[in-house]
Amino acid sequence: MPEAMRLILLGPPGAGKGTHAKLLSERYRIPHISTGDLLREIQNKDPLGLGQRVQRTMKEGKLVPDQIVTQLVAERIRRKDAARGFILDGFPRNVHQARELDTVLKYEEESIDLAVYFETSHRVVIERLAGRRVCSHCGANFHLVNIPPRKAEICDFCGGRLIQREDDREETVRKRLQVYKEETAGLVSYYEQLKKLRVISGDLTVSEGQKALIELLEREHVIHD
Ligand code: AMP
């Protein structure tokens, strides 16, 4: 069995990266690292200064400066719980971040195993983002149709109130998709050139997508239970 799994999930907002990362993290007991979540934490912990700048950028659907995000990730993947690997969700977001990540890993004599790209149709992305709800207390993700909470507007896990993410509103979604096209889509060829890219349909249901993902990881001998 391989010692570690260092995985990147790529795809537009709404492709299901967060949902699949969480399930893989529980199955293989390696951390799910979402830069969106790390940045939302900064906003809550430090509402002034950096937190305020981050909040403004996220609200506009733009990318937070590479240096801030790369440093956050570098610190996070050096933590002990990431010794057996990690699942990156939302990072890298452009080729510069991808190169920085390679440098950080190289220093530790490590490298990325695979980048899985969730190829997702525009229609599905819009439906998922419009219906997404998150817990205002623990951050768990739901969807009005695809992953409904047991009780309307209440989190199944902690009883917190479900809300729509501010950047899931229509106007910001448009900007995020534009940024994705301009900055993030180029990563597909970056990992293709490194022969690390694998593609899965992002239009599948959660259970179909998870099954396809596990089959892929096992076929590639990246990890086993
Ligand atoms: P997400 O939760 O991945 O959809 O990210 C939400 C927002 O956080 C994005 O629209 C960006 O403003 C910011 N963000 C998340 N990850 C990154 C990253 N790797 N680089 C820059 N900004 C990011």
Side-chain angles (χ1 to χ4, degrees), residues 188-220:
V188 169
S189 49
Y190 180 82
Y191 288 107
E192 204 165 27
Q193 277 168 23
L194 294 176
K195 302 202 182 330
K196 295 198 169 169
L197 188 80
R198 302 295 180 272
V199 184
I200 278 186
S201 168
D203 288 358
L204 302 174
T205 63
V206 175
S207 59
E208 287 168 348
Q210 185 67 192
K211 186 163 169 272
L213 200 46
I214 291 166
E215 278 171 11
L216 167 77
L217 297 177
E218 300 198 345
R219 193 167 61 239
E220 298 277 344

mmCIF file of all heavy atoms in Angstrom, residues 188-220:
data_model
loop_
_atom_site.group_PDB
_atom_site.id
_atom_site.type_symbol
_atom_site.label_atom_id
_atom_site.label_comp_id
_atom_site.label_asym_id
_atom_site.label_seq_id
_atom_site.Cartn_x
_atom_site.Cartn_y
_atom_site.Cartn_z
ATOM 1 N N VAL A 188 -5.428 22.668 -16.083
ATOM 2 C CA VAL A 188 -5.682 21.352 -16.666
ATOM 3 C C VAL A 188 -4.490 20.974 -17.559
ATOM 4 O O VAL A 188 -3.947 19.873 -17.452
ATOM 5 C CB VAL A 188 -7.026 21.347 -17.435
ATOM 6 C CG1 VAL A 188 -7.183 20.094 -18.267
ATOM 7 C CG2 VAL A 188 -8.183 21.465 -16.441
ATOM 8 N N SER A 189 -4.033 21.911 -18.402
ATOM 9 C CA SER A 189 -2.895 21.551 -19.261
ATOM 10 C C SER A 189 -1.588 21.476 -18.469
ATOM 11 O O SER A 189 -0.695 20.700 -18.812
ATOM 12 C CB SER A 189 -2.783 22.477 -20.470
ATOM 13 O OG SER A 189 -2.855 23.791 -20.076
ATOM 14 N N TYR A 190 -1.486 22.245 -17.389
ATOM 15 C CA TYR A 190 -0.281 22.163 -16.541
ATOM 16 C C TYR A 190 -0.100 20.724 -16.023
ATOM 17 O O TYR A 190 0.974 20.135 -16.153
ATOM 18 C CB TYR A 190 -0.410 23.149 -15.370
ATOM 19 C CG TYR A 190 0.778 23.143 -14.424
ATOM 20 C CD1 TYR A 190 1.931 23.863 -14.719
ATOM 21 C CD2 TYR A 190 0.750 22.405 -13.243
ATOM 22 C CE1 TYR A 190 3.018 23.859 -13.866
ATOM 23 C CE2 TYR A 190 1.834 22.385 -12.386
ATOM 24 C CZ TYR A 190 2.965 23.118 -12.689
ATOM 25 O OH TYR A 190 4.049 23.101 -11.839
ATOM 26 N N TYR A 191 -1.181 20.154 -15.463
ATOM 27 C CA TYR A 191 -1.063 18.795 -14.909
ATOM 28 C C TYR A 191 -1.063 17.724 -16.001
ATOM 29 O O TYR A 191 -0.523 16.640 -15.805
ATOM 30 C CB TYR A 191 -2.144 18.548 -13.850
ATOM 31 C CG TYR A 191 -1.837 19.335 -12.599
ATOM 32 C CD1 TYR A 191 -2.582 20.461 -12.253
ATOM 33 C CD2 TYR A 191 -0.757 18.994 -11.791
ATOM 34 C CE1 TYR A 191 -2.265 21.220 -11.138
ATOM 35 C CE2 TYR A 191 -0.426 19.742 -10.668
ATOM 36 C CZ TYR A 191 -1.184 20.850 -10.345
ATOM 37 O OH TYR A 191 -0.848 21.588 -9.245
ATOM 38 N N GLU A 192 -1.657 18.075 -17.151
ATOM 39 C CA GLU A 192 -1.631 17.144 -18.285
ATOM 40 C C GLU A 192 -0.178 16.970 -18.747
ATOM 41 O O GLU A 192 0.280 15.857 -18.980
ATOM 42 C CB GLU A 192 -2.476 17.738 -19.411
ATOM 43 C CG GLU A 192 -3.005 16.709 -20.379
ATOM 44 C CD GLU A 192 -4.120 17.300 -21.225
ATOM 45 O OE1 GLU A 192 -4.155 18.528 -21.443
ATOM 46 O OE2 GLU A 192 -4.957 16.502 -21.673
ATOM 47 N N GLN A 193 0.535 18.080 -18.841
ATOM 48 C CA GLN A 193 1.936 18.008 -19.269
ATOM 49 C C GLN A 193 2.773 17.184 -18.297
ATOM 50 O O GLN A 193 3.718 16.513 -18.694
ATOM 51 C CB GLN A 193 2.527 19.412 -19.382
ATOM 52 C CG GLN A 193 2.196 20.055 -20.725
ATOM 53 C CD GLN A 193 2.524 21.543 -20.736
ATOM 54 O OE1 GLN A 193 3.349 22.007 -19.959
ATOM 55 N NE2 GLN A 193 1.864 22.265 -21.615
ATOM 56 N N LEU A 194 2.415 17.261 -17.025
ATOM 57 C CA LEU A 194 3.159 16.485 -16.019
ATOM 58 C C LEU A 194 2.678 15.028 -15.967
ATOM 59 O O LEU A 194 3.151 14.246 -15.155
ATOM 60 C CB LEU A 194 2.984 17.120 -14.631
ATOM 61 C CG LEU A 194 3.587 18.506 -14.423
ATOM 62 C CD1 LEU A 194 3.238 19.040 -13.039
ATOM 63 C CD2 LEU A 194 5.105 18.472 -14.582
ATOM 64 N N LYS A 195 1.682 14.708 -16.810
ATOM 65 C CA LYS A 195 1.059 13.373 -16.879
ATOM 66 C C LYS A 195 0.392 12.997 -15.556
ATOM 67 O O LYS A 195 0.357 11.830 -15.160
ATOM 68 C CB LYS A 195 2.091 12.309 -17.292
ATOM 69 C CG LYS A 195 2.748 12.613 -18.629
ATOM 70 C CD LYS A 195 3.328 11.373 -19.260
ATOM 71 C CE LYS A 195 4.029 11.614 -20.575
ATOM 72 N NZ LYS A 195 3.543 12.715 -21.402
ATOM 73 N N LYS A 196 -0.109 14.006 -14.870
ATOM 74 C CA LYS A 196 -0.754 13.735 -13.580
ATOM 75 C C LYS A 196 -2.256 13.971 -13.635
ATOM 76 O O LYS A 196 -2.950 13.787 -12.646
ATOM 77 C CB LYS A 196 -0.139 14.621 -12.492
ATOM 78 C CG LYS A 196 1.318 14.252 -12.285
ATOM 79 C CD LYS A 196 1.884 14.737 -10.999
ATOM 80 C CE LYS A 196 3.229 14.076 -10.780
ATOM 81 N NZ LYS A 196 3.971 14.669 -9.683
ATOM 82 N N LEU A 197 -2.743 14.406 -14.788
ATOM 83 C CA LEU A 197 -4.162 14.754 -14.875
ATOM 84 C C LEU A 197 -5.041 13.533 -15.163
ATOM 85 O O LEU A 197 -4.709 12.720 -16.016
ATOM 86 C CB LEU A 197 -4.386 15.780 -15.992
ATOM 87 C CG LEU A 197 -5.811 16.330 -15.992
ATOM 88 C CD1 LEU A 197 -5.961 17.409 -14.939
ATOM 89 C CD2 LEU A 197 -6.209 16.863 -17.357
ATOM 90 N N ARG A 198 -6.137 13.428 -14.429
ATOM 91 C CA ARG A 198 -7.164 12.421 -14.724
ATOM 92 C C ARG A 198 -8.498 13.157 -14.742
ATOM 93 O O ARG A 198 -8.672 14.122 -14.001
ATOM 94 C CB ARG A 198 -7.200 11.318 -13.652
ATOM 95 C CG ARG A 198 -5.893 10.577 -13.465
ATOM 96 C CD ARG A 198 -5.479 9.758 -14.690
ATOM 97 N NE ARG A 198 -4.229 9.061 -14.460
ATOM 98 C CZ ARG A 198 -3.014 9.572 -14.692
ATOM 99 N NH1 ARG A 198 -2.878 10.800 -15.161
ATOM 100 N NH2 ARG A 198 -1.928 8.861 -14.453
ATOM 101 N N VAL A 199 -9.441 12.681 -15.561
ATOM 102 C CA VAL A 199 -10.711 13.408 -15.719
ATOM 103 C C VAL A 199 -11.883 12.524 -15.296
ATOM 104 O O VAL A 199 -11.928 11.342 -15.624
ATOM 105 C CB VAL A 199 -10.904 13.843 -17.195
ATOM 106 C CG1 VAL A 199 -12.167 14.674 -17.347
ATOM 107 C CG2 VAL A 199 -9.695 14.630 -17.689
ATOM 108 N N ILE A 200 -12.810 13.148 -14.568
ATOM 109 C CA ILE A 200 -14.047 12.473 -14.139
ATOM 110 C C ILE A 200 -15.190 13.428 -14.469
ATOM 111 O O ILE A 200 -14.998 14.649 -14.410
ATOM 112 C CB ILE A 200 -13.983 12.185 -12.620
ATOM 113 C CG1 ILE A 200 -13.194 10.911 -12.358
ATOM 114 C CG2 ILE A 200 -15.355 12.092 -11.993
ATOM 115 C CD1 ILE A 200 -13.212 10.480 -10.921
ATOM 116 N N SER A 201 -16.365 12.908 -14.768
ATOM 117 C CA SER A 201 -17.485 13.815 -15.020
ATOM 118 C C SER A 201 -17.942 14.446 -13.707
ATOM 119 O O SER A 201 -18.179 13.747 -12.715
ATOM 120 C CB SER A 201 -18.649 13.055 -15.654
ATOM 121 O OG SER A 201 -19.797 13.884 -15.621
ATOM 122 N N GLY A 202 -18.081 15.751 -13.701
ATOM 123 C CA GLY A 202 -18.595 16.451 -12.522
ATOM 124 C C GLY A 202 -20.113 16.507 -12.530
ATOM 125 O O GLY A 202 -20.728 17.026 -11.602
ATOM 126 N N ASP A 203 -20.735 15.959 -13.590
ATOM 127 C CA ASP A 203 -22.196 16.006 -13.681
ATOM 128 C C ASP A 203 -22.863 14.823 -12.967
ATOM 129 O O ASP A 203 -24.080 14.774 -12.863
ATOM 130 C CB ASP A 203 -22.636 15.994 -15.160
ATOM 131 C CG ASP A 203 -22.334 17.314 -15.858
ATOM 132 O OD1 ASP A 203 -21.819 18.228 -15.188
ATOM 133 O OD2 ASP A 203 -22.611 17.426 -17.065
ATOM 134 N N LEU A 204 -22.061 13.865 -12.487
ATOM 135 C CA LEU A 204 -22.628 12.674 -11.842
ATOM 136 C C LEU A 204 -23.240 13.036 -10.481
ATOM 137 O O LEU A 204 -22.921 14.089 -9.919
ATOM 138 C CB LEU A 204 -21.524 11.632 -11.630
ATOM 139 C CG LEU A 204 -20.782 11.151 -12.881
ATOM 140 C CD1 LEU A 204 -19.619 10.242 -12.490
ATOM 141 C CD2 LEU A 204 -21.737 10.413 -13.817
ATOM 142 N N THR A 205 -24.068 12.122 -9.961
ATOM 143 C CA THR A 205 -24.578 12.320 -8.598
ATOM 144 C C THR A 205 -23.406 12.126 -7.626
ATOM 145 O O THR A 205 -22.352 11.602 -8.015
ATOM 146 C CB THR A 205 -25.653 11.272 -8.237
ATOM 147 O OG1 THR A 205 -25.026 9.981 -8.270
ATOM 148 C CG2 THR A 205 -26.831 11.314 -9.192
ATOM 149 N N VAL A 206 -23.626 12.487 -6.363
ATOM 150 C CA VAL A 206 -22.533 12.369 -5.376
ATOM 151 C C VAL A 206 -22.053 10.920 -5.293
ATOM 152 O O VAL A 206 -20.848 10.649 -5.347
ATOM 153 C CB VAL A 206 -22.992 12.853 -3.975
ATOM 154 C CG1 VAL A 206 -21.904 12.616 -2.942
ATOM 155 C CG2 VAL A 206 -23.364 14.327 -4.010
ATOM 156 N N SER A 207 -23.005 9.946 -5.207
ATOM 157 C CA SER A 207 -22.548 8.564 -5.021
ATOM 158 C C SER A 207 -21.894 8.020 -6.285
ATOM 159 O O SER A 207 -20.895 7.304 -6.204
ATOM 160 C CB SER A 207 -23.672 7.661 -4.514
ATOM 161 O OG SER A 207 -24.725 7.684 -5.432
ATOM 162 N N GLU A 208 -22.412 8.380 -7.452
ATOM 163 C CA GLU A 208 -21.763 7.923 -8.702
ATOM 164 C C GLU A 208 -20.356 8.507 -8.826
ATOM 165 O O GLU A 208 -19.409 7.817 -9.200
ATOM 166 C CB GLU A 208 -22.565 8.381 -9.932
ATOM 167 C CG GLU A 208 -23.860 7.646 -10.165
ATOM 168 C CD GLU A 208 -24.729 8.358 -11.224
ATOM 169 O OE1 GLU A 208 -24.433 9.527 -11.600
ATOM 170 O OE2 GLU A 208 -25.714 7.759 -11.653
ATOM 171 N N GLY A 209 -20.240 9.794 -8.525
ATOM 172 C CA GLY A 209 -18.942 10.481 -8.654
ATOM 173 C C GLY A 209 -17.933 9.899 -7.674
ATOM 174 O O GLY A 209 -16.764 9.681 -8.011
ATOM 175 N N GLN A 210 -18.391 9.609 -6.443
ATOM 176 C CA GLN A 210 -17.493 9.076 -5.428
ATOM 177 C C GLN A 210 -16.997 7.679 -5.834
ATOM 178 O O GLN A 210 -15.821 7.355 -5.681
ATOM 179 C CB GLN A 210 -18.222 9.040 -4.072
ATOM 180 C CG GLN A 210 -17.387 8.618 -2.898
ATOM 181 C CD GLN A 210 -16.284 9.599 -2.521
ATOM 182 O OE1 GLN A 210 -15.412 9.277 -1.732
ATOM 183 N NE2 GLN A 210 -16.266 10.778 -3.067
ATOM 184 N N LYS A 211 -17.919 6.893 -6.417
ATOM 185 C CA LYS A 211 -17.548 5.539 -6.849
ATOM 186 C C LYS A 211 -16.485 5.642 -7.956
ATOM 187 O O LYS A 211 -15.470 4.939 -7.909
ATOM 188 C CB LYS A 211 -18.819 4.830 -7.364
ATOM 189 C CG LYS A 211 -18.638 3.401 -7.705
ATOM 190 C CD LYS A 211 -20.014 2.701 -7.804
ATOM 191 C CE LYS A 211 -19.857 1.323 -8.423
ATOM 192 N NZ LYS A 211 -19.929 1.323 -9.875
ATOM 193 N N ALA A 212 -16.719 6.532 -8.917
ATOM 194 C CA ALA A 212 -15.773 6.701 -10.027
ATOM 195 C C ALA A 212 -14.403 7.146 -9.512
ATOM 196 O O ALA A 212 -13.362 6.693 -9.976
ATOM 197 C CB ALA A 212 -16.324 7.715 -11.026
ATOM 198 N N LEU A 213 -14.437 7.999 -8.518
ATOM 199 C CA LEU A 213 -13.200 8.541 -7.950
ATOM 200 C C LEU A 213 -12.397 7.454 -7.219
ATOM 201 O O LEU A 213 -11.181 7.323 -7.409
ATOM 202 C CB LEU A 213 -13.609 9.653 -6.979
ATOM 203 C CG LEU A 213 -12.641 10.717 -6.563
ATOM 204 C CD1 LEU A 213 -11.888 11.276 -7.740
ATOM 205 C CD2 LEU A 213 -13.412 11.849 -5.866
ATOM 206 N N ILE A 214 -13.082 6.662 -6.418
ATOM 207 C CA ILE A 214 -12.400 5.594 -5.664
ATOM 208 C C ILE A 214 -11.829 4.559 -6.632
ATOM 209 O O ILE A 214 -10.684 4.117 -6.492
ATOM 210 C CB ILE A 214 -13.370 4.941 -4.648
ATOM 211 C CG1 ILE A 214 -13.679 5.953 -3.535
ATOM 212 C CG2 ILE A 214 -12.777 3.667 -4.040
ATOM 213 C CD1 ILE A 214 -14.858 5.581 -2.674
ATOM 214 N N GLU A 215 -12.615 4.220 -7.667
ATOM 215 C CA GLU A 215 -12.117 3.259 -8.672
ATOM 216 C C GLU A 215 -10.856 3.800 -9.328
ATOM 217 O O GLU A 215 -9.888 3.079 -9.530
ATOM 218 C CB GLU A 215 -13.195 2.998 -9.734
ATOM 219 C CG GLU A 215 -14.211 1.975 -9.258
ATOM 220 C CD GLU A 215 -15.415 1.867 -10.197
ATOM 221 O OE1 GLU A 215 -15.368 2.433 -11.317
ATOM 222 O OE2 GLU A 215 -16.398 1.248 -9.792
ATOM 223 N N LEU A 216 -10.890 5.082 -9.650
ATOM 224 C CA LEU A 216 -9.737 5.709 -10.289
ATOM 225 C C LEU A 216 -8.495 5.637 -9.383
ATOM 226 O O LEU A 216 -7.416 5.222 -9.801
ATOM 227 C CB LEU A 216 -10.060 7.169 -10.620
ATOM 228 C CG LEU A 216 -8.884 8.045 -11.008
ATOM 229 C CD1 LEU A 216 -8.461 7.753 -12.432
ATOM 230 C CD2 LEU A 216 -9.220 9.517 -10.884
ATOM 231 N N LEU A 217 -8.669 6.018 -8.117
ATOM 232 C CA LEU A 217 -7.520 6.051 -7.197
ATOM 233 C C LEU A 217 -6.946 4.652 -6.991
ATOM 234 O O LEU A 217 -5.737 4.466 -6.908
ATOM 235 C CB LEU A 217 -7.924 6.660 -5.848
ATOM 236 C CG LEU A 217 -8.396 8.119 -5.893
ATOM 237 C CD1 LEU A 217 -8.830 8.588 -4.520
ATOM 238 C CD2 LEU A 217 -7.293 9.025 -6.444
ATOM 239 N N GLU A 218 -7.840 3.667 -6.956
ATOM 240 C CA GLU A 218 -7.355 2.303 -6.724
ATOM 241 C C GLU A 218 -6.712 1.747 -7.997
ATOM 242 O O GLU A 218 -5.690 1.067 -7.925
ATOM 243 C CB GLU A 218 -8.481 1.439 -6.165
ATOM 244 C CG GLU A 218 -8.939 2.060 -4.841
ATOM 245 C CD GLU A 218 -9.739 1.166 -3.921
ATOM 246 O OE1 GLU A 218 -10.219 0.121 -4.393
ATOM 247 O OE2 GLU A 218 -9.882 1.535 -2.740
ATOM 248 N N ARG A 219 -7.304 2.087 -9.136
ATOM 249 C CA ARG A 219 -6.738 1.631 -10.412
ATOM 250 C C ARG A 219 -5.330 2.211 -10.599
ATOM 251 O O ARG A 219 -4.432 1.565 -11.109
ATOM 252 C CB ARG A 219 -7.665 2.100 -11.533
ATOM 253 C CG ARG A 219 -7.399 1.471 -12.878
ATOM 254 C CD ARG A 219 -8.530 1.717 -13.863
ATOM 255 N NE ARG A 219 -8.773 3.129 -14.145
ATOM 256 C CZ ARG A 219 -9.928 3.754 -13.941
ATOM 257 N NH1 ARG A 219 -10.959 3.117 -13.429
ATOM 258 N NH2 ARG A 219 -10.071 5.027 -14.235
ATOM 259 N N GLU A 220 -5.175 3.447 -10.169
ATOM 260 C CA GLU A 220 -3.882 4.132 -10.333
ATOM 261 C C GLU A 220 -2.907 3.771 -9.217
ATOM 262 O O GLU A 220 -1.825 4.338 -9.143
ATOM 263 C CB GLU A 220 -4.094 5.652 -10.322
ATOM 264 C CG GLU A 220 -4.960 6.169 -11.445
ATOM 265 C CD GLU A 220 -4.171 6.370 -12.729
ATOM 266 O OE1 GLU A 220 -2.938 6.405 -12.653
ATOM 267 O OE2 GLU A 220 -4.802 6.496 -13.790
#
